Amino acid sequence: MKIEQIYTGCLAQGAYYIVSENEAVIIDPLREVKPYLDRLEKDNVTLKYIFETHFHADFVSGHLDLSKKTGAPIVYGPTAAPEFEAIIAEDNQVFEIGKVKIKVLHTPGHTMESSTYLLIDENGIETAIFTGDTLFLGDVGRPDLAQKATNLTQEDLAGILYDSLQNKIMPLDDSITVYPAHGAGSACGKNMQKETVDILGNQKRTNYALNQPDKTSFIKEVLDGLTAPPKYFGMNVAMNKNGYESLDVVMNKGLHPISPEDFEALAEESGALILDTRGAAEFHKGFVPNAINIGLKGDFAPWVGTLIVDVKHPLLLITDEGTEEEVIIRLSRVGFDNVVGYLEGGFEAWKNAGKEIDEVKRISPAEFAEQFTADSTVIDVRKLTEYSAEHIDNAYNRPLDSISDWARNLDSSEHFFLHCAGGYRSMIAASILNSHGIRNFTEIEGGFNGIKKTEKLPTTDFVCQSKTS
């Protein structure tokens, strides 16, 4: 028997590949299925089942394409009602793969169809659980995403999740390995550990959610501090439940090079959003007017989903040459399939064609320290927990994910400085502000990490973030 965790850092997502004898299963596959097909061919095994722990909200699963390419059936837990053919398993139903078995444990609460898959090895020993978003390392799945679909309150769902954990997970042996669907950085939980695999006994001892004295306390603690989920989540759920266009079709449509002249005309005529995926260091020196910068080397897909939201919005891409395919794949992971094409030759081609260019004023932390005065306005776009841990005295906290709300209230006559932790998010914010005609700011290279090193600027006393989360 072989168990392989296939972890994708951008989404903090774990898919699982299990082989026994000449058969395999894949749990919670990502949208692009070629890596799985390559593994199957290399191991000379047949994919017997595709297991889905639930209808994912933060990414589009590869279940449909994988099933079409392999013939393997898709399996969901009880109560799931997808718009395509699938096996809807019963609670405690057992599936055989080679010499091992997978038992379905219905664990509703995160969503009502959420299920945990219990792996039983060739000796009949319960070995591992694949928990989806029911149990994370250090946390449990947020119980507020399925309210509209179930007509239940988040308190109702949290109570159901408590029962699932107490009745299905806690009785299992401490030696069982826990393989969750997500790790730290995912918006599906609030307190996840950086590790991606653990032993159940350790989670019973250390996971705050598993150590509540009763259901009432569990509900209160699990719901406390939950921020609003990203707005694209509902659209991803719909795609996973109702179906979507094959990634092959999406790639063929998106990998369309467009000359600078046609790119300019198409941007004006189509209303497409121009997405520039270059790094902040290059973007600020020059970019196509109104382009939004979300760098590929970062939490690219989640920020696209959070800030653009509408997965059907047409996109025109500006990329580092050679990364076009990767960009389209990573967009597809969160459902953004409507890529019209990309700028042929990248930004250099645009510049060489003599087209209009815009810039973001960026200064170093040292320059910021020289320019800063007691009257300076500073906007910090980090998360509240980061800001609460330490920030520049009198800086305003305006998290990037709510920029559409706070940007409209900015005073266009007052200059301000803009920063995040390292420069990635502040350049995203800068590009969005620019596209809305707000230009009276200076962005700080290196963000708060660089600002602290100057030791010349007044900051609040540091507070450990784990105590403010």
Side-chain angles (χ1 to χ4, degrees), residues 373-392:
T373 69
D375 295 326
S376 295
T377 298
V378 179
I379 292 181
D380 182 338
V381 301
R382 296 177 298 162
K383 293 185 294 185
L384 177 59
T385 51
E386 296 171 276
Y387 173 85
S388 298
E390 190 178 15
H391 58 267
I392 297 171

Side-chain angles (χ1 to χ4, degrees), residues 151-355:
N151 294 317
L152 296 171
T153 67
Q154 60 182 8
E155 288 78 13
D156 293 334
L157 287 162
I160 293 169
L161 179 58
Y162 175 83
D163 291 337
S164 293
L165 293 165
Q166 293 298 317
N167 297 331
K168 298 295 183 69
I169 303 298
M170 293 298 281
L172 297 174
D173 192 85
D174 287 2
S175 65
I176 285 177
T177 303
V178 179
Y179 291 106
H182 293 292
S186 169
C188 293
K190 62 179 181 179
N191 194 46
M192 294 186 230
Q193 298 169 355
K194 64 180 185 297
E195 294 81 11
T196 61
V197 178
D198 198 7
I199 302 301
L200 181 58
N202 189 51
Q203 286 303 302
K204 290 179 182 179
R205 290 187 296 272
T206 63
N207 190 318
Y208 81 96
L210 301 183
N211 283 279
Q212 298 304 314
D214 52 43
K215 183 185 288 190
T216 300
S217 297
F218 176 89
I219 293 171
K220 178 180 181 298
E221 290 300 320
V222 167
L223 295 179
D224 183 51
L226 277 183
T227 57
K231 294 178 181 178
Y232 76 96
F233 271 22
M235 298 180 192
N236 278 197
V237 170
M239 293 177 72
N240 284 320
K241 187 174 182 178
N242 302 330
Y244 50 77
E245 201 165 40
S246 168
L247 182 58
D248 294 337
V249 174
V250 173
M251 295 299 296
N252 288 335
K253 181 177 65 175
L255 284 173
H256 171 55
I258 305 173
S259 68
E261 289 73 21
D262 290 342
F263 190 94
E264 183 177 41
L266 195 55
E268 293 177 355
E269 295 167 5
S270 68
L273 184 145
I274 302 173
L275 179 62
D276 191 323
T277 65
R278 295 177 297 152
E282 292 302 316
F283 179 84
H284 89 92
K285 298 174 185 176
F287 58 91
V288 175
N290 296 318
I292 303 302
N293 174 237
I294 304 179
L296 185 62
K297 295 180 180 179
D299 291 335
F300 173 69
W303 277 119
V304 168
T306 297
L307 297 171
I308 300 177
V309 180
D310 183 2
V311 297
K312 296 181 180 180
H313 197 98
L315 302 176
L316 284 166
L317 304 179
I318 300 172
T319 70
D320 289 315
E321 288 194 83
T323 65
E324 299 86 6
E325 184 172 344
E326 181 184 358
V327 170
I328 296 171
I329 286 174
R330 288 175 67 174
L331 287 169
S332 75
R333 289 175 182 168
V334 288
F336 287 81
D337 291 353
N338 196 10
V339 175
V340 179
Y342 65 91
L343 180 60
E344 187 174 20
F347 179 72
E348 286 301 309
W350 179 272
K351 186 167 64 174
N352 293 336
K355 300 295 184 182

Side-chain angles (χ1 to χ4, degrees), residues 2-4 6 15-19 24-26 39-40 43 45:
K2 177 175 75 172
I3 303 173
E4 181 180 357
I6 306 170
Y16 296 94
Y17 173 66
I18 305 168
V19 174
V25 299
I26 294 174
R39 280 173 168 81
L40 293 166
D43 292 340
V45 295

Side-chain angles (χ1 to χ4, degrees), residues 377-381 396-398 402-418 429-430 432-434 436-441:
T377 298
V378 179
I379 292 181
D380 182 338
V381 301
Y396 294 96
N397 182 221
R398 300 290 184 268
S402 58
I403 190 170
S404 60
D405 296 323
W406 57 260
R408 64 171 68 100
N409 297 319
L410 290 174
D411 183 349
S412 60
S413 65
E414 181 183 9
H415 174 269
F416 59 92
F417 294 98
L418 184 72
I432 293 173
L433 294 175
N434 259 294
H436 286 88
I438 301 169
R439 311 179 62 87
N440 53 319
F441 63 87

